[in-house]
């Protein structure tokens, strides 16, 4: 049997390279299959089939979909393990061959088992002092060459053992057990253990710099991009500046794994130190988000959803695009206000859909994408207590300001082709969040800012928002109770002449009617927001006629 030395000297690693390619192709195929299954099978069924039979069938089909996702993850992990093992084995082979070459250059002999000997000292007289010095010098050099060969062989053994340990974590048992219902969560843990075993580090992504992140992504090979998306979905999905379709793919994988963990897995492993109540709230938020995504899986082009970020903790956070913002001519980012939680997702998506349709009415030639951005912790104050927004203060808005700035700059970095017309919209306290973000650092890099039902934008004048004040638009219903919160702690009255924004016409009622329709179709409140998103001018505000004075004693 050939020795480890002779095998490593002659080893051809093309078979490992081919194997990694096969596993990587399998993972990529599973990714495509998951997307097709979601859009062509479960998506349409969610919309058209209801009842107990539908629930049972969808449970089975979604389990199949989940297991396809597990194959995608584990196959990519296997490919990475094989590639990493091959890299270190090839490095060890190179080190071994170099060690042998250097030994032979120094006139030592290396046999087929890697044993190094010195033929030059065989016939030297052992009693001669000069010969003894030569032998001593050569013996020291001999030891160095033997150590170099031993180190190369040890490194090869380590690479092989580490690879075997990693592959043992990815043995497919989670798919063969029909009673294993936490396969997605377990695959996430398997990947972490396997990558640790072979010493693979998480991607070193530039933080809080979308432009740098975009450049980092572009510099990666297609294989590296696919591997990072599949194996590090949370990190990739959360990075502003990366392509929206990539982030959506990664976030859906992360969502499936986290949902599976909270439903079936070990809560302590995923959320150490959290109470059952806290994790139960996470589960609820994840289910709500997942249900909304599934409901839109068969949506027509332009209405498809892209999950650009989420957080299941507390009230939950969600960032969802309708249409691809990377390719759209017009992009709107809608920031919601008080009382918005994960439970608000359905209603908020309905609003952004109406805004998208309104922009399409304003400019039918342009493609418009809308983003629902709940990337901050909105105050829980109900609008019926609008004056209590003074108590809430600007703190929540300021806490989320940097995240909103990074997000909008990320949209710029990931956009393809000609610069998009970007409008950031805020409703209620969401306008306060928009104001805080726009006023800080270098602003939002938006073309327009539009707010409705605003208690204030943390500043006294529109010119403080790092944008041409003529492109700051405000709308306020005559009976909106948010008026009670204006000119308090969250900024100057945005409808005042002093503030310096352009007020547009609103014909709707109350604090939450700005997206309503009327008997003739689209309300002017909604139409004006659409015009702004499309880069058009809204209709100007017309003050209501004042009530005539009543004579004394008139009833």
């Amino acid at each position: 049997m050939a020795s480890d030395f002779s095998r490593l000297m002659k080893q051809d690693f093309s078979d490992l390279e081919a194997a990694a390619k096969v596993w990587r192709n399998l993972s990529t195929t599973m990714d495509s299959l998951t997307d097709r299954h979601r859009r062509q099978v479960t998506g349409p069924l969610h919309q058209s089939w209801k009842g107990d039979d539908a629930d049972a069938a969808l449970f089975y089909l979604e389990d199949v979909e989940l297991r396809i996702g597990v194959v995608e993850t584990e196959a990519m992990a296997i490919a990475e393990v094989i590639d990493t093992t091959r890299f270190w084995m090839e490095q060890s082979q190179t080190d071994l061959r170099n060690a042998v070459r250097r030994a032979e250059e120094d006139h030592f002999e290396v046999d087929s088992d890697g044993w190094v000997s010195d033929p030059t000292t065989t016939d030297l007289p052992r009693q001669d002092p000069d010969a003894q010095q030569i032998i001593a010098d050569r013996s020291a050099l001999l030891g160095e060459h033997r150590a170099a060969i031993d180190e190369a062989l040890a490194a090869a053994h380590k690479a092989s053992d580490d690879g075997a340990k990693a592959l043992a974590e990815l043995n497919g048992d989670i798919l063969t057990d029909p009673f294993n219902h936490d396969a997605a969560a377990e695959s996430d843990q398997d990947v972490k253990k396997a990558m640790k075993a072979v010493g693979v580090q998480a991607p070193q992504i530039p933080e809080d710099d979308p432009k740098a992140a975009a450049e980092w992504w572009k510099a990666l090979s297609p294989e590296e991009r696919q591997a990072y998306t599949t194996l590090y979905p949370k990190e990739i999905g959360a990075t502003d500046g990366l392509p929206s379709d990539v982030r959506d793919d990664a976030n859906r994988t992360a969502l499936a794994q986290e949902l599976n963990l909270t439903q079936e897995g070990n809560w302590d492993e995923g959320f150490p130190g959290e109470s059952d109540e806290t994790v139960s709230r996470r589960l609820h938020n994840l289910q709500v988000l997942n249900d909304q995504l599934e409901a839109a899986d068969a949506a027509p082009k332009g209405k498809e959803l892209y999950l650009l970020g989420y957080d299941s903790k507390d009230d939950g956070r969600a960032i969802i695009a309708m249409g691809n913002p990377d390719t759209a001519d017009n992009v709107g980012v809608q920031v919601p206000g008080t009382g918005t939680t994960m439970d608000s997702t359905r209603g908020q998506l309905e609003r952004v859909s109406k805004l998208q349709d309104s922009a399409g009415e304003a400019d039918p030639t342009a493609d418009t994408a809308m983003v629902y951005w709940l990337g901050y912790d909105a105050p829980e104050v109900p609008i019926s207590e609008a004056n209590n927004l003074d108590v809430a203060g600007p703190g929540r808005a300021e806490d989320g300001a940097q995240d909103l700035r990074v997000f909008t700059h990320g949209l710029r970095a990931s956009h393809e082709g000609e610069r998009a017309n970007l409008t950031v919209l805020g409703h209620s306290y969401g306008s306060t969040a928009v104001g805080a973000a726009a006023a800080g650092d270098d602003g939002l890099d938006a073309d327009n800012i539009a707010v409705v039902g605003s208690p204030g934008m943390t500043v006294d004048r529109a010119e403080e928002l790092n944008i041409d004040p003529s492109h700051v638009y405000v709308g306020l219903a005559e009976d909106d109770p948010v008026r009670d919160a204006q000119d308090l702690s969250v900024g100057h009255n945005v409808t005042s002449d002093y503030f310096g924004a352009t007020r547009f016409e609103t014909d709707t009622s109350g604090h939450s009617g700005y997206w309503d329709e009327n008997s003739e179709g689209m309300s002017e409140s909604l139409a004006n927001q659409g015009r702004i998103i499309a880069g058009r001018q809204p209709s100007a505000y017309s003050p209501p006629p004042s009530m005539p004075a009543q004579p004394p004693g008139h009833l």
Side-chain angles (χ1 to χ4, degrees):
M1 180 180 294
S3 67
D4 291 344
F5 170 83
S6 60
R7 284 198 298 269
L8 184 58
M9 284 290 290
K10 300 175 183 178
Q11 183 69 47
D12 178 3
F13 293 102
S14 60
D15 54 342
L16 288 181
E17 187 175 6
K21 183 177 180 181
V22 169
W23 283 106
R24 185 170 284 106
N25 288 342
L26 174 60
S27 177
T28 303
T29 300
M30 292 300 102
D31 181 43
S32 300
L33 183 59
T34 299
D35 184 67
R36 291 203 306 273
H37 193 273
R38 187 173 67 242
R39 297 189 182 279
Q40 298 176 15
V41 181
T42 55
L45 289 177
H46 272 294
Q47 293 187 343
S48 62
W49 196 15
K50 306 295 180 183
D52 293 341
D53 289 343
D55 292 341
L58 284 168
F59 177 83
Y60 171 78
L61 290 171
E62 285 165 0
D63 184 67
V64 170
E65 194 172 293
L66 181 144
R67 290 173 184 270
I68 293 172
V70 170
V71 174
E72 176 193 350
T73 300
E74 300 239 340
M76 183 59 73
I78 290 171
E80 283 297 297
V81 169
I82 293 174
D83 259 345
T84 303
T85 302
R86 176 181 61 83
F87 172 83
W88 289 116
M89 291 289 288
E90 285 183 332
Q91 184 63 54
S92 298
Q93 183 184 66
T94 299
D95 291 343
L96 180 63
R97 288 174 174 175
N98 286 339
V100 171
R101 177 180 54 78
R102 285 191 293 267
E104 291 174 342
E105 286 175 350
D106 287 336
H107 306 291
F108 292 97
E109 291 182 353
V110 183
D111 68 16
S112 60
D113 291 325
W115 182 252
V116 184
S117 58
D118 186 5
T120 66
T121 61
T122 302
D123 297 328
L124 292 177
R126 301 295 172 175
Q127 304 304 318
D128 186 322
D130 292 334
Q132 290 176 351
Q133 185 60 50
I134 293 173
I135 293 172
D137 292 342
R138 295 284 293 174
S139 294
L141 190 57
L142 175 68
E144 292 177 8
H145 289 308
R146 286 176 176 173
I149 290 174
D150 289 343
E151 288 173 7
L153 290 172
H157 278 295
K158 184 179 186 305
S160 178
D161 292 344
D162 289 347
K165 181 180 178 181
L167 290 175
E169 300 289 350
L170 306 166
N171 59 16
D173 61 326
I174 58 176
L175 290 173
T176 57
D177 180 2
F179 300 104
N180 186 333
H181 298 296
D182 64 338
E186 191 174 335
S187 71
D188 179 39
Q189 296 301 315
D190 287 349
V191 167
K192 290 177 181 177
K193 294 174 183 176
M195 295 302 101
K196 182 178 180 180
V198 291
V200 173
Q201 300 291 321
Q204 302 300 303
I205 308 172
E207 295 183 4
D208 295 329
D209 188 343
K211 187 175 181 180
E215 293 301 319
W216 169 81
W217 182 258
K218 291 174 184 176
L220 299 175
S221 68
E223 292 79 14
E224 288 173 321
R225 294 176 190 173
Q226 188 63 38
Y228 284 156
T229 303
T230 304
L231 301 180
Y232 302 96
K234 289 184 179 179
E235 292 85 347
I236 296 300
T239 302
D240 293 308
L242 301 193
S244 294
D245 57 348
V246 170
R247 297 181 67 181
D248 175 62
D249 189 17
N251 279 319
R252 287 177 186 262
T253 298
L255 174 62
Q257 292 174 347
E258 188 175 343
L259 179 58
N260 188 232
L261 174 68
T262 53
Q263 285 177 323
E264 307 286 349
N266 183 348
W267 290 8
D268 292 335
E269 188 174 82
F271 313 108
E274 293 192 8
S275 66
D276 288 355
E277 180 181 358
T278 300
V279 179
S280 293
R281 182 61 185 169
R282 282 186 181 273
L283 174 58
H284 172 79
N285 289 334
L286 292 165
Q287 288 174 323
V288 168
L289 177 58
N290 190 62
D291 288 347
Q292 292 306 310
L293 294 173
E294 287 183 343
D297 276 344
K301 182 174 176 55
K303 292 293 183 181
E304 68 273 20
L305 300 184
Y306 294 79
L307 182 59
L308 303 184
Y310 79 95
D311 188 342
S312 64
K313 192 175 182 180
D314 299 329
D315 289 336
R317 301 186 185 189
I319 304 171
I320 305 172
M322 182 174 289
N324 190 342
D326 295 346
T327 58
D329 304 303
N330 301 312
V331 178
V333 178
Q334 169 78 359
V335 182
T338 57
T340 308
T341 67
M342 191 70 83
D343 289 327
S344 311
T345 304
R346 179 178 178 179
Q348 292 292 338
L349 288 176
E350 290 174 353
R351 287 182 179 179
V352 299
S353 180
K354 289 181 177 181
L355 289 169
Q356 185 187 49
D357 293 342
S358 178
E361 288 275 344
D363 185 0
T365 67
D367 178 33
T368 298
M370 287 296 304
V371 180
Y372 163 54
W373 193 87
L374 181 61
Y376 80 115
D377 185 15
E380 292 76 20
V381 180
I383 195 56
S384 60
E385 303 172 13
N387 58 323
N388 285 334
L389 280 174
D390 181 42
V391 178
R396 300 282 186 96
E398 291 167 348
D399 289 345
Q402 174 66 7
D403 289 338
L404 180 54
R405 277 193 296 272
V406 173
F407 178 76
T408 57
H409 283 267
L411 291 178
R412 291 298 193 196
S414 63
H415 195 267
E416 302 171 9
E418 189 174 342
R419 179 181 169 97
N421 174 58
L422 174 62
T423 303
V424 181
L425 307 98
H427 170 237
S428 185
Y429 192 86
S431 70
T432 311
V434 171
D441 295 336
D442 53 354
L444 295 169
D445 196 15
D447 298 290
N448 312 287
I449 292 176
V451 300
V452 291
S454 174
M457 300 183 70
T458 75
V459 296
D460 291 333
R461 297 179 66 86
E463 63 187 23
E464 299 174 54
L465 298 175
N466 286 302
I467 188 175
D468 182 345
S470 68
H471 285 261
V472 178
Y473 303 92
V474 301
L476 184 67
E478 299 300 328
D479 61 348
D480 190 332
V482 82
R483 291 173 179 273
D484 295 336
Q486 291 179 331
D487 283 323
L488 296 176
S489 68
V490 292
H492 197 76
N493 180 356
V494 299
T495 64
S496 68
D497 291 340
Y498 177 78
F499 188 78
T502 300
R503 185 171 179 181
F504 59 85
E505 183 67 22
T506 56
D507 60 347
T508 48
S509 178
H511 187 63
S512 300
Y514 298 100
W515 306 271
D516 288 349
E517 298 179 346
N518 54 36
S519 58
E520 299 179 359
M522 194 176 297
S523 66
E524 193 66 6
S525 300
L526 178 58
N528 274 331
Q529 291 177 83
R531 291 173 186 132
I532 296 167
I533 294 167
R536 304 290 191 261
Q537 282 297 313
S539 60
Y541 168 70
S542 299
S546 58
M547 292 292 292
Q550 301 296 332
H554 178 79
L555 297 178

